[in-house]
Amino acid sequence: MLDAARCALRAASPAPQDEETARQQRLGESADGQVRAEFGADGRLAAVTLDPRLLRLGTQEIGEHVVAAVNAAIDAMRAGAAPVPAAGDLSQLTEQLQEVRDTAVPRLGAFLQTLTEAQQRMARGGGR
């Protein structure tokens, strides 16, 4: 059962990604790439980049493009991230399950062996 639990935890862990793939999942653009918004790994807005050519537009239009880029980045994050517990948490739990298996299973085996021997002695009529 412990092995099955460890396998289930491994299956639930998010697949490792390279940094570029992860960064792309937190990036949004608007105005044909002239406005870019990027969220950090912590889920907070990390950067907004404006192409200097965009500055010819009015502030209202620039603001609309910024909002569109930020919303596109949010959509990209939501599409790329399933609600899975953090990998660090799962790896710690996996380690704990491994430790339980490595220590408890041999102890239980020894305990069952002792019970079996006691049962055999009682069946033979030996009191001790």
Side-chain angles (χ1 to χ4, degrees):
M1 280 198 294
L2 290 173
D3 287 336
R6 286 181 47 237
C7 288
L9 284 172
R10 231 180 278 125
S13 295
Q17 296 178 342
D18 61 35
E19 181 58 32
E20 182 59 24
T21 301
R23 192 179 74 74
Q24 289 297 323
Q25 290 179 342
R26 300 185 307 256
L27 186 65
E29 296 181 346
S30 69
D32 296 322
Q34 293 182 7
V35 179
R36 296 175 62 131
E38 183 176 354
F39 281 82
D42 61 357
R44 296 179 59 142
L45 185 61
V48 175
T49 307
L50 302 175
D51 186 308
R53 294 174 292 173
L54 190 71
L55 298 177
R56 289 182 265 165
L57 302 175
T59 56
Q60 174 78 24
E61 196 171 352
I62 292 172
E64 291 170 1
H65 288 303
V66 169
V67 169
V70 169
N71 285 334
I74 291 170
D75 292 342
M77 280 193 321
R78 287 181 180 162
V84 175
D89 296 339
L90 291 179
S91 66
Q92 183 179 7
L93 183 55
T94 301
E95 288 174 22
Q96 289 174 346
L97 284 173
Q98 178 73 32
E99 184 179 328
V100 167
R101 188 187 75 178
D102 292 346
T103 58
V105 170
R107 286 182 185 170
L108 286 173
F111 178 71
L112 288 174
Q113 181 64 34
T114 303
L115 283 177
T116 302
E117 290 170 0
Q119 184 182 19
Q120 289 172 347
R121 280 194 307 266
M122 287 174 36
R124 287 188 301 240
R128 200 171 156 200

